Amino acid sequence: MLNDEMADLISDVEYDLRDRTRKILREVDKTYDEADPAIGWDKFEQWLEDNLNEAATTNFAWLMERAEWVAAKVAKNFPVYREDLIPGSVLPDDLLEPASKLEKPKIEPFSLPQKLFTGLRGSYGGVLMFGLVTSLAGMPLINVISLGAGALFGGKSILDESDQRLKRRQAAAKAAAQRHVDDFFMKFSKDVRDSGRHIQRSLRNHFSTLAEELQETLLESARSAKRAVQDDQTERERRMREGRKELDKLITLYKRVQTLGGPAMELTA
């Protein structure tokens, strides 16, 4: 029973931990579908650590509650249930170790010179294209229309580059969070399995000791009962021997009386 219950317990606890970490990752994806990791990364890091710590604490508390339930279930199968059949602490305090820190992803800055360069690169195509078109109408290559188109193309290039850099930052943040959560899951799930095995060994040793004590008590009771039966039989045999001796004495006395009574009866006659 202990082996079966602990196997189910470890499986359930590991699944619960995986489910909690997946929910955290879904929140991370939802957050960085729109948010910029370059803004408020420290708050996100603290939020992620708090949620992982909460998941670990809740998961480990559930492990201990289920372990106590398993211990109580096994203890109730003993012939005489007592409170001291359930062991006290079965887990050392230093078994769980803290997980590693979240690594900050590489966030590409989009500085003002880079924006100017991107804008000039985009505006060049706009000025050239519209300048060639307007030159057919007799206007110079650089005119108001071509300059306006260049400004429009340059602004769009800056916006496109900003959007691409934002998506790269978001993808890097999601990947960093994914790695950190995976590392956390691997580390803590191993700690949970080690804790479960430690609890199982502790409960096994505890209940094995109790079973051996109970077996010794039963054997001693059986030996006492056997000695009592043997003593009773010995006493009965002793009384039977004494009874036979008394009977033999009575028979001998009766024969002597019969022997002495025969001549006396003849004289009387």
Side-chain angles (χ1 to χ4, degrees), residues 57 60 68 82 103 112-113 161 176 188 195 225 243 246 251 263 265:
T57 302
F60 189 73
E68 292 177 359
R82 307 189 311 268
E103 295 182 1
L112 181 59
E161 182 66 21
F188 195 77
S195 301
E246 294 295 329
I251 292 173
M265 292 176 63

Side-chain angles (χ1 to χ4, degrees), residues 14 49 58 64 73 90 94 104 151 181-182 196 219 234 244:
E14 188 170 0
E49 293 300 330
T58 305
M64 296 305 298
K73 183 177 181 180
V90 292
D94 57 349
K104 187 175 181 179
V181 173
D182 288 343
L219 290 175
T234 302
R244 289 194 189 95

